[in-house]
Amino acid sequence: MKRTVLVTALVIVGGLSIAAASLQQPQKLPAVRQMQKLRDNLFFVSGGDTYERSTWTGGNTLVFVAERGVVLVDTMLATAGRGILAQIKSVTDKPVTTIINTHTHFDHTGSNTEFASTVEFVAHENTRANMAKPACPPVTNCDAFKGENAKYLPKRTYKDRLTLFSGKDQVDLYYFGRGHTNGDTFVVFPAARAMHGGDMFPRAHMPFIDVAANSGSAVEFSQTLQKAVSTIKNVDIVVGGHTPSPVTWNDFKTYTDFYKDFLAAAQDSMRKGTAVDDFVKAYRVPDKYTGFQAAPDRVKANAQAIWDESKK
């Protein structure tokens, strides 16, 4: 029994180490890309392809120009702050007043400390706790907020839902449960009919689920996506954590179905007594998900997590 638990722990930690290695920041950050206009007051800054390290600047950022200042969703990798500010200044003289972090990972919170300390940082309460951990697991980025930089930790948090501002400037934050981490926020701009889904919607790929370091869940990932689809209304434009470009609400729904089908296939195989490795070897992305990819290491990590969670 003890040996089984130890082996499972090593698999999880090993998988996390591989994921962390694959997400390492480039030694010298490339220039932040030019903004793309989505609405009159909403702009998209792509972080690029995580598999193209020479041009990657982190997770995608949204820039929302509100009445009293600029609202940012996520801040990419460390040292991207200056580039993000330069892009903002190309469309407005208003200061950045609010930064919303979809989750704790270093490619989404990396430049928080490069903005004015007067900025209001907002995140889910679990993400705030992850960012303040005394010991910092891979990819979590909590080391960035120690000492003097503790002032950059989110001072405004929420449990299930939070609304910022009102009227055309309204921003709605939703938490539907564990998934990529235990603190993933869906950020909705009702007047713009747009949403940033963070890494709950990475792109047409099998997701990285941070089970070991930040309490993500390979089983609840599907439930969380389904709650988002059934609860959030009137959204046309969706930006994910690493989508190469903005996509549609239907694309987001298709991704939700993709992962739901993967979970069902894994659980069905588990009930039949299939070993994880045999399931991984046999798994193929269904033909109806054209263009979707499932890297074997991600399939293995998520399948193992599903097996482990389902046995509890």
Side-chain angles (χ1 to χ4, degrees):
M1 179 67 178
K2 289 182 179 179
R3 183 179 183 276
T4 301
V5 172
L6 176 60
V7 170
T8 299
L10 288 173
V11 168
I12 292 173
V13 173
L16 181 63
S17 297
I18 292 169
S22 70
L23 288 173
Q24 284 181 349
Q25 181 167 340
Q27 290 185 346
K28 183 178 181 181
L29 202 66
V32 171
R33 289 166 180 76
Q34 290 189 336
M35 292 197 301
Q36 302 175 40
K37 184 177 179 179
L38 304 182
R39 303 293 194 208
D40 285 344
N41 63 339
L42 184 67
F43 303 85
F44 167 69
V45 187
S46 171
D49 189 340
T50 56
Y51 295 96
E52 293 291 338
R53 285 292 181 258
S54 62
T55 60
W56 186 53
T57 58
N60 293 330
T61 293
L62 275 183
V63 177
F64 183 62
V65 184
E67 183 77 22
R68 296 184 180 179
V70 174
V71 179
L72 287 187
V73 182
D74 288 346
T75 63
M76 298 190 178
L77 294 166
T79 74
R82 182 178 296 180
I84 294 171
L85 283 169
Q87 290 302 312
I88 292 170
K89 289 178 180 178
S90 71
V91 296
T92 182
D93 291 330
K94 293 179 179 180
V96 175
T97 57
T98 307
I99 292 177
I100 302 165
N101 289 129
T102 60
H103 61 291
T104 185
H105 288 159
F106 75 105
D107 54 326
H108 297 264
T109 63
S111 291
N112 279 23
T113 59
E114 296 163 37
F115 290 85
S117 58
T118 54
V119 169
E120 181 175 50
F121 290 90
V122 186
H124 186 263
E125 60 188 18
N126 291 343
T127 288
R128 202 273 183 197
N130 291 336
M131 293 166 75
K133 286 179 178 178
C136 200
V139 311
T140 302
N141 202 39
C142 36
D143 282 342
F145 303 105
K146 288 183 168 47
E148 286 293 319
N149 282 346
K151 61 188 177 185
Y152 292 100
L153 286 167
K155 292 183 175 61
R156 189 166 187 181
T157 62
Y158 74 103
K159 185 176 180 64
D160 298 310
R161 181 173 174 178
L162 174 67
T163 293
L164 304 174
F165 319 118
S166 61
K168 62 183 177 61
D169 289 342
Q170 180 172 324
V171 183
D172 293 325
L173 280 59
Y174 296 87
Y175 175 73
F176 296 112
R178 295 194 301 158
H180 176 62
T181 68
N182 67 346
D184 300 291
T185 291
F186 293 83
V187 186
V188 178
F189 302 88
R193 299 178 66 92
M195 179 181 83
H196 194 312
D199 279 1
M200 284 301 303
F201 181 38
R203 51 182 170 180
H205 280 253
M206 187 64 61
F208 161 53
I209 299 176
D210 188 356
V211 176
N214 291 289
S215 301
S217 169
V219 173
E220 294 178 37
F221 192 97
S222 179
Q223 300 165 11
T224 296
L225 285 173
Q226 291 175 64
K227 288 176 184 177
V229 166
S230 64
T231 303
I232 297 170
K233 307 296 182 184
N234 303 316
V235 168
D236 300 322
I237 299 172
V238 181
V239 167
H242 301 281
T243 49
S245 59
V247 297
T248 68
W249 183 254
N250 280 337
D251 291 320
F252 175 59
K253 289 175 64 178
T254 298
Y255 186 81
T256 297
D257 292 339
F258 161 72
Y259 191 82
K260 179 182 178 182
D261 287 351
F262 170 74
L263 174 63
Q267 290 179 324
D268 183 59
S269 291
M270 185 189 68
R271 283 191 293 268
K272 291 176 180 177
T274 305
V276 172
D277 287 342
D278 291 334
F279 169 75
V280 174
K281 290 176 184 176
Y283 178 75
R284 299 291 182 274
V285 175
D287 291 340
K288 62 181 177 180
Y289 299 113
T290 305
F292 277 65
Q293 299 180 40
D297 60 331
R298 292 281 176 89
V299 175
K300 172 67 182 288
N302 292 345
Q304 184 65 63
I306 291 167
W307 257 248
D308 293 341
E309 289 181 50
S310 299
K311 291 176 182 176
K312 292 180 180 178

